[in-house]
Amino acid sequence: MVRKFSAPLERTARLLDLVPYISSHQGISLKELSKVFKVEQTQMTSDLTTLWMCGLPGYTPLELMDLDFESGFVTIHNAETLSKPRSITFDEGVALVLGLDLLRSALSPERSDLLDRIDLLSQRLAGLIKLPSALSATSVVNQEVSAAITDALKSRMGLEITYHSLYRDELSTRIILPIEIVETDGQLYLSSYCYTASDFREFRIDRIQGASVQAGLQEIPKNSAQQLSYTCTIKVLTPTRAIAERFKQSELQVNTAFDFKTYSFQWIERSIMASGRTVCLQSPPDVRKSVAVMAQTMLDRYKAR
Amino acid sequence: MHTVSRKSERLVNLTIALLATKRYLTKTEIYNSVEGYEGTPETKERMFERDKDDLRSLGIEIEVGSFDPLFNDEAGYKIKQEKYQFELGDISSIEVSLLSLAAQAWQEASFGDVAQRVLLKLRSIGIPSDELSIPATVHKLNDGGQDLSLITKAIAQSQLLAFAYLDSSLKINMRSVVPIALSTRNGLWYLSGVDQEIQEIRTFRVDRISSAITASEGPSDFETPTGFDPSKALSDSPTHDFALIDVRVGKASSLRALAISTQSLGEWDQIKIPILSLDSLCSIVLWHGPDAFVQEPAELRDLVVEHLVALVENHG
């Protein structure tokens, strides 16, 4: 974990960082400054009061920093010694290098001007923190899609999306109102109200193949249908990591069953097929039956070959 | 609150004094001139020692030296401006914008706090940034509660990492790895390193590490393998084995995504897929049900048939 500092150290770091920030934002309001540093306004006033007492040895008005904040707006003078931002820590450098790499994957290859600058910045940062180029971050989501999603979320507008459903294995066009981006098991989902389904749905962002912003959508119906969920009972025949991850189980034991909730029969059918001999679906009976029929149909085809 | 404020005040004053001085300051000079050192000589001594450690933990390096190298003088202290300051050389508005976007890519997780701090520093450089001028929407990075700090430090120092790792049959293996790279792809984190048991590069998914990671000093003769590209570690596994699979037109997209070539057969397409793992390919084929049919190799076909027989038996 990233280390947390004790209260006096946390405060010292803040005091040191306040000086360059105020120096480059002369006249910033006390309120704004508190927001930027994520502290209460009373704490900020107390910080500034402390800082006002600091300066070069001698501590006469000539050596103290000249800090004014009584008017509610903050200015600082005579603070040259601390006026440059502090050098970055190892963790901060790591955060920047990874962030830059992610940014690189989001830029169009035509912008070689920006890509070259990113490479140079990464090299300089890696030099500062003495870490060889060993970090990489990529994202494979379509840039136009992610731009449309960001726009729609910002302006509370709807989206028309072309979505590839993995378990139906087909493309569909839907009108949705995106609510938020959520992350589950390393995948990003767009939690939305879907007008096409008249219900709330989550869409995996990397499966959205096209998106365009739609204006003038109706409000979400208040009494929209409750999402129906089905409970399946799955017996473990051979514990594998694939089953544990697919059904989000932390522990698996041979010949024991667990319950799993799903919103889609198709998903569970395909998941059981993909798990092959390692699991057995005990209920619901109609999905059990369709798994058996599907497997038999496929088997007949392989045998006929 | 009072003691917090006194201590912070003293640390800030000490930093200013050590930054502003051109020559090394002795302890006596520090006690006499820097505000806040009070009490018996022993108390002052203890205070100063702790203050030095505290500033170091904030990333502020204090240099120790003496006035005159020819005489065995009392040691003195100072902080070098160039080490204290964020030095990126000449930097333009566009570069500040790029760095700001990079910092904003982090979500509010523990690394998110780190990113917030560095964003503040970037804003304090005094060069305006215009993130809207960069034509990119950046996804969010999330450390997912993983100890990225420990892993990256271990890469920088070629330390040895030991952890328990879940293999594909859910068995826990102890691994000893000298890490060389950390990468993230769509929210999952991967650690690549030289597995000490087999002396080969292996890549591990960090969320499959099932124990705490411990770091210790690495082998003294360790040399970082050259030419390893972390961004390709996940996609570049050379193979000479290929599968031929028939997939229905417009269907079986996850198999199509793996294909290196496609040949049209009318209602069906025949695709060629490099085999990295027979088990996982078999699982994807089964997922697509009657929309996919394995032609070659026989091993894959036999494996699919074996699973189908079990599925019929178990669910019939």
Side-chain angles (χ1 to χ4, degrees), chain A residues 87 91 124 164 169 186 241 277, chain B residues 84 88 149 186 252-253 306:
Chain A
S87 61
D91 283 343
R124 275 194 257 168
H164 174 248
D169 197 9
R241 189 175 65 193
R277 64 172 163 230
Chain B
Y84 177 83
L88 266 180
S149 196
N186 296 327
S253 59
E306 209 179 296

Side-chain angles (χ1 to χ4, degrees), chain A residues 26-45:
Chain A
Q26 299 281 4
I28 186 172
S29 74
L30 203 54
K31 196 176 160 195
E32 176 72 18
L33 193 61
S34 318
K35 218 171 87 190
V36 170
F37 280 82
K38 295 204 168 99
V39 291
E40 297 289 325
Q41 218 162 307
T42 48
Q43 176 67 53
M44 185 49 75
T45 312

